[in-house]
Amino acid sequence: MRRRTFLGAAGAAAVTLALSGAALAQEAVKIGLILPMTGPFASTGRQIEAAAKLYMQQHGDTVAGKKIELIVKDDTGVADVTKRLAQELIVNEKADVLAGFGLTPLALATAPLATQAKVPMVVMAAATSTITEASPFVVRTSFTAAQATVPLADWAAKNGIKKAVTLVSDYGPGIDVEKAFTEVFTKAGGRVENLRVPLANPDFSPFLQKVADAKPDALLAFVPSGVGAQFMKQFVERGLDKSGIRLLAEGSVTDDDLLNTIGDVAVGATTSHHYSAAHDSPKNKSFVEAFKKASNGMRPNFMAVGGYDGMHLIYEGLKKTNGQGGQALIDAMKGMSWTSPRGPVSIDPQTRDIVQNIYVRKVERKDGELYNVEFATIPNVKDPVKAAKSN
């Protein structure tokens, strides 16, 4: 906080030094992993940290002859804290890569710093479409909210749903979900009413009462990972589970990490997302097994796969640049493709966003536990918001 401006004389000198030829010769590549490890979004931080450490455990801590050093910082889910930690990591720790970013405001607060310091920023969680447009040094391995929602709107329109209400958290990804669902569903002839809930300390009850009064065929919900249990609890308290209103949701609501805690009320919920712990592939089965073993039985969720793939992208990028960071590393990441536990993925070279399969799923009980069981696959989905801009 002593520096009113990020690049004061001392800061500028430090950043310049960090990016100079001397830095290329340093033995370590430092990855600053900024995550909400405490507060309401702590499950996001816990999942991503566990996945990043698992990747390092499986693939070693040396790439291109350089030691990988992971520096984990807790931003408590507060954007000002994220920004301060990013400054400290760049200036004091000489971080070569920033990563993590559990929520959109946290990523957007940091993006200008990544641009100024020419430090690649790997977004492993935050899901608003505009994030990759905030800096040419941002690349994303999670998903966009619109990317996950459009296939569900298509499915709803084709499966007898004529009238829907959307209920979303009132911030970037929620607004993206609302817009994407509304545009696709109304174009197919459906009718939609939109409701938004405050992101901080949400009480869903009055909004769910409005849903009950509107008597739609379906409710389409989006809340950030970690808040789904509270939403589902209030959904039941309002009797909506017995009202005949079908529950549709962007997959963050039925987060794998919390699904068993939510309980049987979630059974039958139809969702769309890019990852489920129940995804049926040999790679995912071994990932889930290794993740549980390394993290005290915790089940990996979509945040974990974003962290795991984020580390893969960093490692493979460093191999291509022979350990060089900055612009060279970002350029190496563009267009990269691989097989993830979630399925085939690639980094769009134009937008630096991930291209991936989206799955429509239903919550089912299997072997005594609840899972998001996939029943339809929409392959190679790009972020529809940016795709619309380019058309």
Side-chain angles (χ1 to χ4, degrees), residues 73-336:
K73 300 284 186 181
D74 176 16
D75 63 12
T76 70
V78 176
D80 286 346
V81 179
T82 315
K83 186 176 181 179
R84 176 176 57 78
L85 292 172
Q87 288 176 354
E88 290 171 1
L89 282 161
I90 293 168
V91 175
N92 300 337
E93 301 279 0
K94 312 292 188 291
D96 300 277
V97 179
L98 299 175
F101 308 105
L103 291 162
T104 291
L106 317 182
L108 291 177
T110 309
L113 307 185
T115 304
Q116 287 178 314
K118 295 182 169 57
V119 172
M121 177 176 154
V122 180
V123 174
M124 297 171 165
T128 303
S129 290
T130 54
I131 290 171
T132 54
E133 297 171 328
S135 167
F137 286 87
V138 172
V139 61
R140 175 159 33 200
T141 58
S142 52
F143 70 113
T144 77
Q147 183 183 44
T149 304
V150 164
L152 187 58
D154 276 329
W155 182 88
K158 290 170 185 169
N159 282 273
I161 293 168
K162 304 293 183 193
K163 181 184 176 186
V165 174
T166 67
L167 178 60
V168 304
S169 293
D170 191 5
Y171 77 124
I175 294 162
D176 280 357
V177 166
E178 175 189 284
K179 190 165 183 282
F181 185 88
T182 301
E183 282 181 3
V184 173
F185 189 66
T186 53
K187 196 182 247 184
R191 289 181 295 132
V192 185
E193 181 183 337
N194 303 128
L195 300 172
R196 294 181 185 176
V197 184
L199 178 62
N201 307 313
D203 177 10
F204 299 104
S205 295
F207 299 94
L208 288 167
Q209 187 56 54
K210 286 183 182 178
V211 174
D213 294 342
K215 298 183 171 58
D217 300 320
L219 167 63
L220 181 278
F222 167 79
V223 297
S225 177
V227 191
Q230 183 183 343
F231 168 78
M232 295 296 283
K233 179 171 178 281
Q234 293 185 341
F235 182 83
V236 176
E237 285 171 354
R238 288 277 155 184
L240 289 176
D241 58 322
K242 296 180 174 64
S243 67
I245 298 170
R246 294 173 75 172
L247 177 61
L248 312 178
E250 189 274 351
S252 305
V253 177
T254 58
D255 176 350
D256 273 300
D257 186 23
L258 306 171
L259 191 51
N260 282 317
T261 311
I262 293 171
D264 282 341
V265 56
V267 171
T270 302
T271 66
S272 58
H273 231 211
H274 57 288
Y275 177 71
S276 166
H279 179 65
D280 190 12
S281 75
K283 192 168 188 79
N284 185 53
K285 284 173 180 168
S286 62
F287 169 67
V288 172
E289 187 180 335
F291 188 92
K292 284 183 171 179
K293 190 175 177 184
S295 57
N296 241 355
M298 182 166 64
R299 182 198 289 183
N301 70 356
F302 66 101
M303 294 297 184
V305 84
Y308 192 80
D309 284 337
M311 293 300 288
H312 178 87
L313 185 66
I314 294 166
Y315 269 51
E316 294 304 309
L318 288 168
K319 287 177 189 176
K320 284 174 76 172
T321 66
N322 200 27
Q324 190 177 344
Q327 186 68 55
L329 183 54
I330 277 288
D331 288 344
M333 292 172 170
K334 293 175 185 176
M336 201 175 280

